[in-house]
Each structure stands twice: as structure tokens, then as C-alpha cells.
Amino acid sequence: MFAGGRVGSLALENAKGSTFIDGDLYVDGWLENPGGLVFVRGNLVAQTLFTSGLLVVLGELRVRRLFGEDEPDGTYVFGDMHVESAVFSHNHLIDVWGTAELVAQVHDEVHGREAVVRRLVEWGVLTGVDPEENLQDVKYSIGKVRRGLRTLGEQCGPLPEDWTARRYTPKPEETPAAAEHPPPFRPAVLVELEGWLGSAGLTQRQQLEELRTRWLPRLEDASIRPGAARLIRGAINSKKLAGERDALLKALE
């Protein structure tokens, strides 16, 4: 597991394992996932991206050039995806839960291999190939594609400021305050009893008498008796009346 942050370029070489990025990841140059699982708990922003393993992005995926190599697991984005130009090989799956904005894309299952090669030539990833010729049989290696994407990513310069300003994980000072929980529900008779016990005008002895004659019949519900007992015990606190108060509380049990 690695913390998120901003780097120049990055190759996540972990074909037999898993790499977790705990936060937003900004890559000013090229980013490669040649195999294994890469999980980004945040936004993933880069100039160029080569992915041949399983890539999962919890936030937003935003890149200029994306090459998805053959891999049945593919790329999964829980947020939005913005890609200026993408090339996908025939087994590469892509699933976006948010809004997918693919300005231009070529998939060899849909457009054919010649269209894929032509797009790579247009990117400048494949050099020395005449785009006007028949490209159906042009051979290219994944190694050459990776090297071309690295060169392209380095030529793009730093990420745009509006891209690096995007955040998925809140900063500590931006963390919203915990929501206040509403007070627990209290039966109306207990609210009334508390207000009556706290009002002036009666002595504790007089209150005790009122509790016997007027309040006990209203406190028959077993669910409210413990709460009523706590209120009475707190209000009738005279030592001289302790015995009578306890007798009243015994009647509440």
C-alpha cells in the first residue's frame, strides 16, 4: 500500500500481487500497470496510462492517452471517467459507474486492428509507419507501445492546474463535522413529569404527596417507570423524606 500524491512518472511492477494507492494519485508523465491488481482509493490523473492488469479507481479517472492491453479483468471506475483518446485490445473490459467521457476511442473488436495501428501512429507511439499504407498486417510489440507512451507522457509537460486541483479524498480541514444525532425519544409523560418536578411552588413533601395521588396512576407503563424513578430520585433528595421516597419508588417497580 502506498499513499497518494504527485509523481513525475510511475511503473507499478507487481504482476503477481496487488498495489493499493490510499488517496488521489497525480502523474505528470506516464503511468503503467503491466499486470496484477491496482486499486486507487481516490482520483487517478495522468498524461498517459498503459494498463494490462486489473485497474480499479474509486474516484475519477482522467488521462490524455489510455492504452488498455488484453486482460479479461480490465478497468473499473466507480466515479467519472474522462479520456481524450483511448485504444483497447480485444479482451480489455471497461466499466464506468459514473459518467464516461471518451472523446475518441478505438477498439480492435469494433474497429479492427488497422484502426488501432493507425491511432497509435497518430499518437506518435508507433514511428516509421506510413499511415497511408494498409496497416492490417503491421506488427507492433507491447514493449514498443509502452516506450512510445512513456515518451508521449514526458512530452506533455505538467498536468493542467484544473486537473491537479481535483480531489476525491477530503483534506483534514475539509472533513465535514460529524452530524449531530437527535436526542433520544422520550415519552411525553416523562417530559411533563420532569418539568413539573423542576417547577417552583411546592415543597418536596408536597411533591411527594402529589406523586402518590396524581402521578402514580399515570406511570403504570413498565417502559417509562425506570425513567420516572430517576427523575423522582433526583428531585426528592431530602434525607428526612428518603424513606417515603423509597417507598414510592418501590411502588413503581
Side-chain angles (χ1 to χ4, degrees):
M1 178 178 287
F2 300 94
R6 187 169 182 176
V7 298
S9 293
L10 185 62
L12 300 171
E13 300 279 358
N14 193 8
K16 295 183 179 180
S18 302
T19 302
F20 289 84
I21 309 297
D22 189 20
D24 300 318
L25 179 61
Y26 308 94
V27 185
D28 283 305
W30 50 268
L31 175 65
E32 293 180 352
N33 169 28
L37 162 67
V38 173
F39 183 94
V40 181
R41 195 185 71 86
N43 293 336
L44 175 56
V45 183
Q47 297 285 13
T48 66
L49 170 62
F50 173 90
T51 178
S52 181
L54 172 60
L55 175 64
V56 181
V57 181
L58 196 58
E60 176 186 85
L61 174 63
R62 180 174 288 263
V63 297
R64 294 193 189 279
R65 299 289 184 266
L66 167 62
F67 185 91
E69 170 60 341
D70 292 352
E71 171 54 52
D73 291 324
T75 300
Y76 298 85
V77 182
F78 285 83
D80 296 335
M81 182 179 73
H82 175 86
V83 178
E84 292 184 3
S85 187
V87 171
F88 299 112
S89 293
H90 67 281
N91 283 334
H92 194 92
L93 303 177
I94 186 160
D95 190 5
V96 181
W97 289 34
T99 300
E101 184 180 6
L102 281 162
V103 179
Q105 66 171 312
V106 174
H107 200 300
D108 64 0
E109 284 189 311
V110 178
H111 306 98
R113 178 182 172 81
E114 183 172 347
V116 169
V117 175
R118 187 178 300 277
R119 182 56 51 85
L120 294 175
V121 171
E122 293 172 357
W123 286 0
V125 170
L126 291 182
T127 58
V129 178
D130 186 351
E132 299 303 322
E133 295 181 358
N134 188 314
L135 305 178
Q136 184 67 35
D137 297 323
V138 172
K139 304 297 182 182
Y140 67 88
S141 68
I142 294 304
K144 188 171 184 179
V145 172
R146 291 175 63 178
R147 291 192 296 271
L149 284 171
R150 287 185 176 189
T151 300
L152 182 61
E154 292 169 349
Q155 293 174 345
C156 289
L159 291 169
E161 185 175 344
D162 60 325
W163 286 22
T164 58
R166 310 177 79 85
R167 292 288 186 273
Y168 174 80
T169 50
K171 297 178 181 178
E173 63 269 18
E174 296 173 348
T175 303
E180 294 185 1
H181 295 287
F185 171 76
R186 297 181 67 200
V189 65
L190 290 185
V191 175
E192 183 183 352
L193 175 61
E194 183 177 28
W196 179 78
L197 288 170
S199 62
L202 293 177
T203 66
Q204 290 191 21
R205 181 172 294 279
Q206 290 172 328
Q207 286 183 326
L208 193 58
E209 184 60 30
E210 287 284 308
L211 287 168
R212 289 195 197 96
T213 59
R214 186 162 69 91
W215 283 96
L216 274 181
R218 301 181 60 188
L219 303 175
E220 293 181 349
D221 190 338
S223 64
I224 65 175
R225 289 177 185 174
R230 285 192 295 270
L231 293 174
I232 295 170
R233 186 176 289 106
I236 309 299
N237 52 25
S238 171
K239 293 182 179 179
K240 295 182 179 180
L241 301 176
E244 297 179 56
R245 179 203 61 198
D246 291 345
L248 176 69
L249 296 177
K250 184 68 174 178
L252 277 175
E253 295 180 356

